[in-house]
Amino acid sequence: AQSVTQPDIHITVSEGASLELRCNYSYGATPYLFWYVQSPGQGLQLLLKYFSGDTLVQGIKGFEAEFKRSQSSFNLRKPSVHWSDAAEYFCAVGVGVSNYQLIWGAGTKLIIKP
Amino acid sequence: DAGVIQSPRHEVTEMGQEVTLRCKLISGHNSLFWYRQTMMRGLELLIYFNNNVPIDDSGMPEDRFSAKMPNASFSTLKIQPSEPRDSAVYFCASSKDRGPGNEQFFGPGTRLTVL
């Protein structure tokens, strides 16, 4: 069965430090992969997506993610975090005949230390 | 563009009451998703519409839940009768077309509390 695993429920980093959020998926076909961010009290916003081509994708707000097929991973990175990056981050994989349905990870809450 | 609009933002009701949540899609979008988010179960897809037609309602928890799209830009999610376990944040999201290449734009959500 398709699944998405985000192994870290919470991550705390200092402002200015680098960040990597992990995402592993289980899906038999070529995955369509997404990272969304949810700020407190808000809906989810797309950060970036991967369908094919270059395995390193750039997104908004200075985020990037790398697709590694051999590891079934799609980790999100940012070289230097800002206090405004404090939010919950969700990884998702598109599945189904038309891939409209997104299988969501449980989310990783990012806490920024001043 | 105003984005996806949901109302109300907060709803507190008593068990047994009918609850109606509303969603206005982004103009030009033709796919609509209703999600429920709880601490215990995370983000769950309840129902998906494409061109006003329900395509997948397998996530609707039970018959107490119903969703409609009376026109191309508006949807409602109704719970009747409501129960305390329905307490959650309900999101709707829209996209321009079906398929994975199309970003889902989320509304701000409705926080439902059933006492």
Side-chain angles (χ1 to χ4, degrees):
Chain A
Q2 305 97 342
S3 66
V4 176
T5 301
Q6 293 181 246
D8 304 305
I9 297 175
H10 298 98
I11 279 188
T12 300
V13 299
S14 298
E15 190 169 15
S18 64
L19 170 70
E20 182 169 30
L21 302 182
R22 296 183 289 165
C23 173
N24 293 95
Y25 66 90
S26 173
Y27 186 54
T30 300
Y32 293 77
L33 296 161
F34 305 81
W35 275 101
Y36 280 78
V37 60
Q38 184 179 25
S39 297
Q42 302 296 317
L44 283 74
Q45 180 185 21
L46 181 69
L47 280 176
L48 47 79
K49 58 189 178 185
Y50 171 80
F51 300 147
S52 64
D54 193 346
T55 56
L56 184 64
V57 293
Q58 303 296 320
I60 62 171
K61 305 185 182 188
F63 285 90
E64 67 179 26
E66 186 172 13
F67 169 58
K68 293 185 177 180
R69 185 185 299 276
S70 61
Q71 298 177 19
S72 298
S73 69
F74 189 56
N75 293 349
L76 182 70
R77 300 194 294 247
K78 186 170 185 178
S80 176
V81 298
H82 186 262
W83 65 267
S84 60
D85 295 323
E88 191 154 18
Y89 292 80
F90 293 89
C91 180
V93 60
V95 300
V97 173
S98 298
N99 285 292
Y100 67 85
Q101 183 173 353
L102 297 182
I103 303 297
W104 296 88
T108 297
K109 187 170 184 178
L110 175 63
I111 300 164
I112 306 294
K113 286 192 302 185
Chain B
D1 197 324
V4 174
I5 299 172
Q6 290 188 247
S7 64
R9 291 294 309 276
H10 302 273
E11 177 79 33
V12 180
T13 191
E14 293 188 345
M15 183 174 62
Q17 296 298 306
E18 177 180 296
V19 175
T20 300
L21 311 181
R22 296 174 176 80
C23 175
K24 184 176 185 302
L25 285 67
I26 293 173
S27 177
H29 285 194
N30 61 349
S31 290
L32 182 281
F33 305 81
W34 279 103
Y35 289 94
R36 178 172 67 178
Q37 186 179 40
T38 62
M39 290 290 293
M40 291 298 294
R41 300 175 67 90
L43 199 60
E44 304 172 276
L45 177 66
L46 300 177
I47 188 169
Y48 159 61
F49 290 86
N50 182 254
N51 292 323
N52 303 2
V53 176
I55 304 298
D56 182 358
D57 65 355
S58 60
M60 295 287 263
E62 47 196 277
D63 292 346
R64 297 185 297 107
F65 286 69
S66 62
K68 294 182 180 179
M69 275 198 78
N71 58 57
S73 60
F74 184 72
S75 177
T76 59
L77 177 68
K78 186 174 292 186
I79 308 173
Q80 167 62 19
S82 58
E83 296 183 3
R85 60 193 168 117
D86 302 331
S87 298
V89 181
Y90 291 81
F91 290 102
C92 71
S94 71
S95 68
K96 196 170 183 180
D97 209 345
R98 59 192 299 171
N102 303 296
E103 175 183 353
Q104 292 184 22
F105 291 80
F106 281 75
T110 295
R111 182 174 294 276
L112 174 63
T113 302
V114 183
L115 303 174

